[in-house]
Amino acid sequence: MSEAFDPFNVSDADDLFTATVAPTSAPVSPVKTRVPSFNIKPQYVAQDRAPPIVVLPKMDVKLKLHEEVTSKAVPGMGEDGTVELFVEGKVMAQAESSISKIPPFSLQITSPPSSECDIVYQNFCKVQTERKIQVSKQRSIRCKVDIPQPKAECEVLRYSMTAETKNMPLLVQSKASLKGNVCRVGIQIRSNLSNQGDINDLSISVPIPNTMQESTIKITRGADTGSWDECKRLVTWKIGTLPHGQSVLVSVEAEISHTMAQLVADDDISSTKFNEKIQCPVLIRCSSLSDTLTDFALSASPWMEDPSTLSLQQGRSYRLLHRVPTRK
């Protein structure tokens, strides 16, 4: 019997599908696929850059406006009538900065018309523009101020003016009356409600004329604050502080002289002649740390060519000597 046909060398016991093929050559190493490299650089999308932040220097400016005022009530106008003012004022400035050099700043001034207000500037305060406000007829002045020394208070300008006003910080009413041979002078003063603060250093003085006997002088109201100066023939009340909106009343009395008593007894004497003989004007002195008596106004802003962050503080003050004729 011939051999069984078995070309694949598979025995009868073996399954065709589970048999392994005998290796015919050396083992073949696995082939590694080489990926080609490319010179690729990461790409970035261009974006707009924010502009650099500019930090402006900080600047603190303090302006102080002070007025020395002499005033006189116009006769015949009454308690709330017209008052004539003569004013000498000055503006002081103090500046500090976050940098060593103080930047210049712009000073805006609103003042009465030039015919009523004369302004004298310091060398470091240069006028840039000046115009007239048609509605109020005031002047608007713009100056460049270059403070010469940091932190030091310096005078920027001075001004003087004459003006009239009906808005005085004190409302004064005075009256002299005659009862028999005794003349009494009474003065009432009230702080104006439009004031920004209290009245300070208030004093009231009444000169006693020769038509009143000095030996009979008697302070009838305000005796605790009043005094009589025989050499000056002057009665003075030192009130001190008068709170905002409050009032004070003082009075003095004395017998009239024998000559005046004879004139009063004469039926032919006119009231005008008597008033001239018994004239007792009232002198008032006071001050304030929060007000001024004129409409001279100030403001400040950074100078355009040297910008800065500017903060402004303002102070206003005055000292007043006011004269009021005694009403009969």
Side-chain angles (χ1 to χ4, degrees):
M1 184 174 182
S2 61
E3 295 179 358
F5 180 75
D6 189 6
F8 297 101
N9 195 23
V10 177
S11 62
D12 295 335
D14 295 330
D15 186 3
L16 179 62
F17 297 99
T18 61
T20 60
V21 179
T24 59
S25 61
V28 179
S29 301
V31 178
K32 296 181 180 181
T33 304
R34 185 180 179 88
V35 179
S37 62
F38 299 93
N39 188 17
I40 300 176
K41 295 183 179 180
Q43 301 292 323
Y44 297 95
V45 178
Q47 297 180 355
D48 294 336
R49 292 185 177 181
I53 299 175
V54 179
V55 179
L56 297 178
K58 295 181 180 180
M59 187 175 180
D60 297 326
V61 177
K62 297 179 181 179
L63 298 177
K64 294 182 180 179
L65 195 158
H66 177 74
E67 294 180 340
E68 296 282 339
V69 185
T70 303
S71 62
K72 179 182 178 181
V74 178
M77 297 303 294
E79 176 188 354
D80 56 350
T82 303
V83 175
E84 297 175 340
L85 302 176
F86 177 75
V87 182
E88 292 281 352
K90 64 179 179 180
V91 175
M92 306 293 292
Q94 183 180 5
E96 297 184 27
S97 177
S98 59
I99 58 178
S100 58
K101 185 181 183 302
I102 301 294
F105 64 91
S106 176
L107 177 65
Q108 291 81 36
I109 305 169
T110 302
S111 72
S114 57
S115 59
E116 299 179 5
C117 183
D118 296 324
I119 305 176
V120 179
Y121 305 91
Q122 296 295 331
N123 294 332
F124 57 85
C125 181
K126 305 293 185 182
V127 177
Q128 304 296 312
T129 60
E130 181 174 345
R131 64 184 180 87
K132 184 176 181 181
I133 305 175
Q134 297 297 331
V135 176
S136 61
K137 298 182 180 180
Q138 293 178 322
R139 285 189 298 170
S140 178
I141 306 169
R142 178 174 171 268
C143 303
K144 179 183 179 182
V145 180
D146 200 344
I147 299 294
Q149 187 175 359
K151 298 184 180 180
E153 190 176 59
C154 55
E155 182 179 309
V156 177
L157 59 89
R158 285 180 175 266
Y159 61 93
S160 61
M161 70 175 75
T162 57
E164 293 185 351
T165 183
K166 292 184 178 181
N167 187 29
M168 289 292 288
L170 295 172
L171 304 178
V172 184
Q173 185 178 18
S174 62
K175 186 176 182 180
S177 59
L178 184 65
K179 185 176 182 180
N181 290 338
V182 176
C183 179
R184 172 176 290 184
V185 180
I187 305 103
Q188 184 175 18
I189 297 178
R190 180 166 60 88
S191 173
N192 199 327
L193 292 175
S194 63
N195 295 342
Q196 297 297 318
D198 299 339
I199 300 295
N200 303 318
D201 306 318
L202 174 62
S203 67
I204 307 168
S205 299
V206 177
I208 303 299
N210 292 328
T211 51
M212 299 174 67
Q213 299 182 46
E214 63 181 53
S215 60
T216 61
I217 293 292
K218 181 181 179 182
I219 299 175
T220 53
R221 283 184 178 268
D224 54 337
T225 58
S227 62
W228 160 245
D229 189 328
E230 186 176 352
C231 295
K232 297 180 180 179
R233 295 186 63 89
L234 192 69
V235 179
T236 302
W237 292 268
K238 294 184 178 181
I239 307 300
T241 299
L242 182 62
H244 179 259
Q246 298 298 311
S247 62
V248 61
L249 175 64
V250 296
S251 63
V252 61
E253 66 179 31
E255 295 181 6
I256 59 177
S257 64
H258 298 293
T259 303
M260 180 58 64
Q262 292 178 0
L263 292 175
V264 171
D266 189 354
D267 295 336
D268 296 332
I269 186 174
S270 63
S271 59
T272 303
K273 188 174 181 180
F274 171 76
N275 292 345
E276 293 175 354
K277 295 289 184 180
I278 207 69
Q279 188 69 253
C280 294
V282 179
L283 301 177
I284 299 171
R285 291 178 173 86
C286 65
S287 64
S288 174
L289 297 176
S290 54
D291 285 292
T292 51
L293 272 72
T294 68
D295 54 359
F296 199 95
L298 304 172
S299 63
S301 60
W303 188 251
M304 292 183 296
E305 298 177 2
D306 292 280
S308 63
T309 303
L310 188 147
S311 63
L312 176 64
Q313 297 181 22
Q314 287 198 57
R316 306 173 73 88
S317 62
Y318 69 79
R319 190 165 59 178
L320 171 66
L321 173 61
H322 183 49
R323 185 176 184 272
V324 182
T326 305
R327 299 172 60 192
K328 310 298 192 299

